Amino acid sequence: PSPFIKFTLVGGGFDVADKVIVEQTEAGDLVITADIPLASDVIAKAGFALNPRGEFYTTENIQQTLTMRNFMATMRDAGQVTGG
Protein backbone atom coordinates (compact mmCIF):
# COMPACT_ATOMS: atom_id res chain seq x y z
CA PRO A 1 0.00 0.00 0.00
CA SER A 2 1.11 3.49 -0.85
CA PRO A 3 -0.57 6.88 -0.73
CA PHE A 4 1.04 7.59 -4.12
CA ILE A 5 -0.31 4.60 -6.05
CA LYS A 6 -3.97 4.07 -6.87
CA PHE A 7 -5.67 0.89 -8.08
CA THR A 8 -8.93 1.13 -10.04
CA LEU A 9 -10.80 -1.79 -11.59
CA VAL A 10 -12.68 -0.88 -14.78
CA GLY A 11 -15.05 -2.78 -17.03
CA GLY A 12 -14.04 -4.34 -20.31
CA GLY A 13 -13.99 -2.61 -23.66
CA PHE A 14 -11.73 -0.84 -26.10
CA ASP A 15 -9.59 1.83 -24.36
CA VAL A 16 -11.86 1.84 -21.28
CA ALA A 17 -8.89 1.78 -18.90
CA ASP A 18 -7.10 4.49 -20.88
CA LYS A 19 -10.13 6.77 -20.69
CA VAL A 20 -10.36 6.32 -16.91
CA ILE A 21 -6.65 7.01 -16.51
CA VAL A 22 -6.94 10.24 -18.53
CA GLU A 23 -10.09 11.32 -16.65
CA GLN A 24 -8.32 10.85 -13.31
CA THR A 25 -5.01 12.41 -14.37
CA GLU A 26 -4.21 15.76 -12.79
CA ALA A 27 -1.38 18.14 -13.57
CA GLY A 28 1.88 16.72 -12.26
CA ASP A 29 0.72 13.09 -12.13
CA LEU A 30 3.06 10.42 -13.48
CA VAL A 31 1.74 7.69 -15.78
CA ILE A 32 4.03 4.86 -16.85
CA THR A 33 2.90 3.47 -20.18
CA ALA A 34 4.04 2.10 -23.52
CA ASP A 35 0.74 3.31 -25.04
CA ILE A 36 1.66 6.39 -27.07
CA PRO A 37 -1.89 7.76 -27.55
CA LEU A 38 -2.41 7.45 -23.78
CA ALA A 39 0.88 9.25 -23.17
CA SER A 40 -0.25 12.03 -25.51
CA ASP A 41 -3.52 12.47 -23.60
CA VAL A 42 -1.68 12.51 -20.25
CA ILE A 43 0.72 15.20 -21.52
CA ALA A 44 -2.23 17.24 -22.77
CA LYS A 45 -3.48 17.31 -19.16
CA ALA A 46 -0.06 18.51 -17.92
CA GLY A 47 0.84 15.09 -16.56
CA PHE A 48 4.11 13.26 -17.04
CA ALA A 49 4.33 10.12 -19.19
CA LEU A 50 7.22 7.71 -18.86
CA ASN A 51 7.71 4.63 -21.03
CA PRO A 52 8.80 1.29 -19.52
CA ARG A 53 12.37 1.90 -20.77
CA GLY A 54 12.63 4.98 -18.58
CA GLU A 55 12.26 7.57 -21.37
CA PHE A 56 9.90 10.49 -20.87
CA TYR A 57 7.37 11.44 -23.49
CA THR A 58 7.36 15.23 -23.62
CA THR A 59 5.53 18.06 -25.33
CA GLU A 60 8.60 18.28 -27.57
CA ASN A 61 8.62 14.64 -28.72
CA ILE A 62 5.09 13.25 -28.34
CA GLN A 63 3.71 14.45 -31.68
CA GLN A 64 6.59 12.96 -33.66
CA THR A 65 6.34 9.72 -31.68
CA LEU A 66 2.56 9.54 -32.23
CA THR A 67 2.94 10.29 -35.94
CA MET A 68 5.54 7.52 -36.34
CA ARG A 69 3.34 5.08 -34.40
CA ASN A 70 0.38 5.85 -36.67
CA PHE A 71 2.53 5.57 -39.81
CA MET A 72 3.88 2.17 -38.74
CA ALA A 73 0.35 0.95 -37.92
CA THR A 74 -0.74 1.99 -41.43
CA MET A 75 2.23 0.16 -42.95
CA ARG A 76 1.48 -3.00 -40.94
CA ASP A 77 -2.21 -2.85 -41.92
CA ALA A 78 -1.15 -2.60 -45.57
CA GLY A 79 1.18 -5.59 -45.21
CA GLN A 80 4.27 -3.49 -45.93
CA VAL A 81 5.80 -4.08 -42.49
CA THR A 82 5.37 -7.51 -40.95
CA GLY A 83 7.86 -7.46 -38.10
CA GLY A 84 8.97 -5.25 -35.28
Side-chain angles (χ1 to χ4, degrees):
S2 170
F4 304 107
I5 299 172
K6 184 173 15 175
F7 174 83
T8 303
L9 181 63
V10 300
F14 185 74
D15 284 343
V16 172
D18 292 358
K19 291 174 185 169
V20 171
I21 292 167
V22 172
E23 287 172 4
Q24 294 182 2
T25 296
E26 297 179 7
D29 284 352
L30 173 65
V31 175
I32 301 171
T33 182
D35 187 308
I36 298 167
L38 173 58
S40 179
D41 291 343
V42 167
I43 291 169
K45 290 193 72 175
F48 295 98
L50 180 70
N51 75 24
R53 291 171 287 172
E55 300 163 340
F56 275 102
Y57 298 108
T58 66
T59 54
E60 290 79 24
N61 70 17
I62 193 62
Q63 189 57 52
Q64 178 181 355
T65 305
L66 189 57
T67 299
M68 181 57 73
R69 175 235 182 235
N70 293 340
F71 172 73
M72 293 305 292
T74 300
M75 296 297 283
R76 282 190 297 275
D77 292 345
Q80 298 298 314
V81 176
T82 58

